[in-house]
């Protein structure tokens, strides 16, 4: 797809085949010659004896085959039981992590309520609020934007969980765990990024300018900011070298993903530029300096609604890019990709910390 759309699908399906077991049986022919002088009872005795021998021989031939089938079935059952046990254990750990995360969010919510109450009391007493919160959190009335405060607290927990998942992926890859365990970790990592996009959609409604400013990110991360987040095409350039070797088909699929991704980014950037120009013309409409500008402000407010849409579309493009890459890669490559992605952002945060604490020359 070559159109500048934010939705595109490039998925590959891998066929799965089952081995076919064939069992061959063999038989034995018996030819007997009877003389005219042999009595009927003797012939009957000989036939009975031969039938017994044939039955014993047949049982002897089928015995090892049945035993082999039973051994194979036992081994398959053992493998199946072991995998089921691993799945149950992984599911149990996932439930525990989810429960702990929910409890952590509830604790954070209670702390947020206490913080808001303290800030409200301070505002009523006429005290200056500073230090802990940025000025962008405060409206002209001096009240706290609860949506931003909740997002910052929730995003802090999100970063902690991402660091934990990154360490878990690194340990799993180094210990060469089975693909089924890696699948659980990869699904958890993809779900974690989906939670981030959900959180951003909520805070964009509360204050889209705050989200666009990147104040919730570290300075080094803000240096790469594009419409409230990372630029998907740039991250593909960072991640792809970490995933090599890729098959020819994977290289082709990644290339076909980069092209529409870049086109969608260009379309969103052009739309943002046009919105900025339109907004500037709206604010500067009529004669400046007259003091009566409320009609222009009303029109500008309507145009700013489009800014939330642009942020949501950019996040949709980011999410689609991650999902398409996970479909192109094998499960082990996807795990390495999530590990590289988490490590990349961790290094940017570390760089910001080092920059903030760098030695400074005395003035």
């Amino acid at each position: 797809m070559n159109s500048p759309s934010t939705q595109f699908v490039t998925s590959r399906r891998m066929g799965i085949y089952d081995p076919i077991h064939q069992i061959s049986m063999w038989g034995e022919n018996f030819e007997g010659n009877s003389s005219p002088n042999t009595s009927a009872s003797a012939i009957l005795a000989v036939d009975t004896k031969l039938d017994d021998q044939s039955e014993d021989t047949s049982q002897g031939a089928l015995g090892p085959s049945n035993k082999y089938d039973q051994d194979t079935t036992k081994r398959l059952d053992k493998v199946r039981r072991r995998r089921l046990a691993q799945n149950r254990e992984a599911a149990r750990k996932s439930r525990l992590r989810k429960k702990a995360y929910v409890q952590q969010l509830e604790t954070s919510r209670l702390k947020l309520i206490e913080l808001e109450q303290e800030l409200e009391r301070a505002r009523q007493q006429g005290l200056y609020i500073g230090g802990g919160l940025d000025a962008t959190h405060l409206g002209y009335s001096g009240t706290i934007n609860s949506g931003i405060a909740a997002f910052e607290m929730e995003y802090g927990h999100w970063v902690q969980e991402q660091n934990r998942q990154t360490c878990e992926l690194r340990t799993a890859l180094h210990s060469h765990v089975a693909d089924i365990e890696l699948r659980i970790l990869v699904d958890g990592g993809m779900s974690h990024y989906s939670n981030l996009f959900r959180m951003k959609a909520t805070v964009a409604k509360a204050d889209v300018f705050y989200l666009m400013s990147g104040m919730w990110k570290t300075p080094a991360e803000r240096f790469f900011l594009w419409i409230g987040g990372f630029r998907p095409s740039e991250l593909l350039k960072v991640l792809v070298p970490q995933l090599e070797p890729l098959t020819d088909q994977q290289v082709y699929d990644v290339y076909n993903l980069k092209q529409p991704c870049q086109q969608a980014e260009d379309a969103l950037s052009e739309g943002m530029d046009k919105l900025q120009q339109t907004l500037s013309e709206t604010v500067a409409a009529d004669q400046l300096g007259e003091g009566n500008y409320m009609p222009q402000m009303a029109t500008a407010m309507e145009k700013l609604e489009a800014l939330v849409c642009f942020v949501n579309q950019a996040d949709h493009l980011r999410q689609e890019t991650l999902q398409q890459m996970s479909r192109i890669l094998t499960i082990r490559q996807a795990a390495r990709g999530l590990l590289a992605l988490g490590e990349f952002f961790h290094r940017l945060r570390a760089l910001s910390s080092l920059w903030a604490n760098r030695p400074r020359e005395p003035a």
Side-chain angles (χ1 to χ4, degrees):
M1 176 167 50
N2 295 322
S3 63
S5 172
T6 57
Q7 296 184 0
F8 41 84
V9 178
T10 54
S11 60
R12 309 292 305 178
R13 297 186 177 276
M14 301 178 62
I16 302 175
Y17 64 93
D18 297 328
I20 301 177
H21 298 282
Q22 296 182 347
I23 302 176
S24 61
M25 301 178 60
W26 58 274
E28 198 175 289
N29 294 328
F30 176 81
E31 295 182 358
N33 297 324
S34 59
S35 64
N37 297 329
T38 306
S39 63
S41 61
I43 293 174
L44 180 59
V46 171
D47 289 344
T48 303
K49 183 176 181 181
L50 291 175
D51 289 342
D52 294 340
Q53 291 177 352
S54 177
E55 183 177 356
D56 294 341
T57 304
S58 177
Q59 292 178 354
L62 292 177
S65 178
N66 291 336
K67 184 177 181 182
Y68 173 77
D69 292 342
Q70 293 174 357
D71 293 342
T72 302
T73 302
K74 289 180 180 179
R75 287 196 298 270
L76 293 176
D77 289 341
K78 184 177 180 181
V79 172
R80 191 178 296 109
R81 287 194 299 269
R82 179 172 60 84
R83 289 183 177 178
L84 288 175
Q86 291 176 346
N87 289 344
R88 285 193 294 268
E89 179 64 18
R92 184 185 68 83
K93 292 181 179 180
S94 178
R95 288 193 297 270
L96 291 176
R97 288 197 298 267
K98 182 177 181 180
K99 182 179 179 181
Y101 183 65
V102 171
Q103 291 176 348
Q104 192 177 35
L105 289 179
E106 179 63 21
T107 302
S108 300
R109 186 182 69 85
L110 296 176
K111 291 181 179 180
L112 175 61
I113 293 175
E114 294 177 0
L115 177 61
E116 289 179 342
Q117 292 174 350
E118 292 178 1
L119 290 172
E120 181 63 21
R121 287 194 298 268
R123 186 186 67 82
Q124 292 175 356
Q125 294 172 4
L127 298 178
Y128 173 74
I129 303 173
L133 296 174
D134 190 85
T136 56
H137 299 191
L138 304 177
Y140 290 108
S141 61
T143 58
I144 294 294
N145 188 325
S146 59
I148 293 177
F151 171 78
E152 285 196 342
M153 190 168 295
E154 194 174 6
Y155 179 69
H157 295 318
W158 188 92
V159 172
Q160 293 176 0
E161 176 64 15
Q162 185 193 39
N163 292 335
R164 188 198 64 79
Q165 289 185 359
T166 300
C167 294
E168 196 171 9
L169 278 170
R170 185 183 297 108
T171 301
L173 287 171
H174 289 174
S175 58
H176 304 287
V177 300
D179 286 354
I180 189 171
E181 297 181 34
L182 282 179
R183 168 65 65 182
I184 295 173
L185 296 178
V186 169
D187 290 344
M190 295 296 294
S191 177
H192 192 55
Y193 278 100
S194 296
N195 289 337
L196 175 61
F197 298 133
R198 174 191 56 79
M199 292 158 47
K200 291 176 64 180
T202 301
V203 76
K205 296 178 181 179
D207 190 341
V208 68
F209 285 114
Y210 164 78
L211 185 64
M212 290 283 295
S213 70
M215 294 304 298
W216 48 286
K217 284 184 170 291
T218 59
E221 290 176 292
R222 289 200 297 270
F223 182 70
F224 296 95
L225 199 66
W226 174 78
I227 313 183
F230 59 84
R231 188 183 287 269
S233 61
E234 290 299 324
L235 275 185
L236 286 178
K237 295 178 182 178
V238 173
L239 293 182
V240 169
Q242 308 297 323
L243 304 174
E244 295 177 349
L246 298 173
T247 65
D248 293 340
Q249 184 63 48
Q250 287 177 324
V251 172
Y252 177 77
D253 291 338
V254 170
Y255 174 79
N256 285 338
L257 178 60
K258 284 181 179 179
Q259 293 302 109
C261 181
Q262 184 66 61
Q263 292 173 359
E265 290 176 7
D266 294 341
L268 286 174
S269 296
E270 291 176 5
M272 286 288 294
D273 292 340
K274 185 176 181 179
L275 175 62
Q276 187 181 46
Q277 180 181 357
T278 303
L279 186 61
S280 176
E281 293 173 352
T282 301
V283 172
D286 297 333
Q287 185 66 32
L288 293 175
E290 293 183 353
N292 183 19
Y293 51 81
M294 293 311 297
Q296 291 88 340
M297 294 302 100
T299 305
M301 287 289 292
E302 294 178 359
K303 296 184 180 299
L304 279 179
E305 295 294 333
L307 192 57
V308 177
C309 182
F310 274 109
V311 172
N312 291 336
Q313 288 181 0
D315 274 348
H316 179 72
L317 179 59
R318 286 183 268 265
Q319 188 170 15
E320 279 292 315
T321 303
L322 288 175
Q323 291 176 350
Q324 293 300 329
M325 280 298 294
S326 69
R327 296 187 183 104
I328 293 173
L329 303 174
T330 66
I331 188 60
R332 197 162 292 274
Q333 287 173 329
R336 286 164 51 196
L338 285 176
L339 173 60
L341 190 60
E343 180 70 20
F344 178 71
F345 288 120
H346 178 74
R347 292 184 181 186
L348 288 179
R349 289 190 286 267
L351 177 61
S352 297
S353 178
L354 292 173
W355 175 258
N357 296 289
R358 70 190 186 281
R360 293 176 174 84
E361 296 181 359

